Amino acid sequence: TARLRIIVGHLKFDKDGGLDFENKNIKSYMVGIMRNALECGHMLAPNLKKIFFVSDHNEATRYAITNDFTLGKRRQDKGKGITLRPVGVDREKEPLHMEGNHSVNALDFFPVFEDLLIMGGSRCVSHGIGSFGSFGAALGGNKCRAIHRKYTGQTLQCPNEISLQHPVVINATEMIFGETPGGEG
């Protein structure tokens, strides 16, 4: 699973939506971040043929799941890469963020929990700087994860050591029915 949260420097648009993905500069910047997120996911599990892509921006997800990405050329694998098209859910609108005062139906948050469930059940999770992707990795027991962005929003090439620092830990006592994260539950 590759998780991408849309944060670009000082621009504040991701919680309320409104990212102009048609803007050539923003789109180019975001595609670079997507590629890096997918590179990190591919680095974690290079034999997998599918990567699930999730973002808090529906147009970024739509772009990722409708375009091919060639991954693995940066590493020392004799210049060979793999071309794959991520899979994901093409949604009509941006997933809601939990923070803030929403006057919506609780069912409108279903996509948020759907994404968390998929991330928690994934073999590996490549996530950015937000706590959402980190929580998704924690649901899977942090057994295989990479962080693809710095807290400043800049891309972070994988492999890196940052994912070993401050992982979210979920103990068995905090789980429903005592199931162990990432276990055979």
Side-chain angles (χ1 to χ4, degrees), residues 7 24 57 80 89 112 151 154 169:
I7 297 175
K24 191 169 119 178
H57 194 277
K80 294 180 183 176
V89 180
V112 172
Y151 70 92
Q154 298 168 315
V169 177

Side-chain angles (χ1 to χ4, degrees), residues 90-119:
D90 189 0
R91 296 191 169 97
E92 285 288 318
K93 56 185 180 178
E94 292 182 23
L96 294 175
H97 286 78
M98 303 286 291
E99 62 267 323
N101 184 10
H102 298 286
S103 57
V104 295
N105 186 321
L107 292 176
D108 292 336
F109 288 102
F110 180 77
V112 172
F113 296 105
E114 180 181 49
D115 290 344
L116 281 171
L117 179 66
I118 292 170
M119 284 191 290

Side-chain angles (χ1 to χ4, degrees), residues 27-153:
K27 183 175 182 178
S28 174
Y29 180 76
M30 294 312 307
V31 169
I33 292 173
M34 287 183 235
R35 180 175 308 287
N36 190 60
L38 293 165
E39 281 283 357
C40 287
H42 176 66
M43 184 254 343
L44 291 170
N47 295 330
L48 293 180
K49 303 292 184 219
K50 297 286 182 185
I51 295 178
F52 183 80
F53 185 89
V54 59
S55 173
D56 63 350
H57 194 277
N58 59 321
E59 290 182 44
T61 300
R62 185 172 299 124
Y63 181 89
I65 65 176
T66 58
N67 287 279
D68 293 333
F69 290 83
T70 300
L71 307 173
K73 284 188 171 183
R74 290 194 302 204
R75 293 190 309 278
Q76 294 179 342
D77 54 3
K78 298 181 179 123
K80 294 180 183 176
I82 181 173
T83 300
L84 61 81
R85 181 171 293 187
V87 295
V89 180
D90 189 0
R91 296 191 169 97
E92 285 288 318
K93 56 185 180 178
E94 292 182 23
L96 294 175
H97 286 78
M98 303 286 291
E99 62 267 323
N101 184 10
H102 298 286
S103 57
V104 295
N105 186 321
L107 292 176
D108 292 336
F109 288 102
F110 180 77
V112 172
F113 296 105
E114 180 181 49
D115 290 344
L116 281 171
L117 179 66
I118 292 170
M119 284 191 290
S122 296
R123 179 179 296 173
C124 299
V125 177
S126 165
H127 63 87
I129 56 179
S131 58
F132 187 75
S134 180
F135 184 58
L139 289 173
N142 289 313
K143 61 187 178 286
C144 179
R145 68 182 265 233
I147 298 175
H148 63 79
R149 289 178 76 189
K150 297 178 184 179
Y151 70 92
T152 60

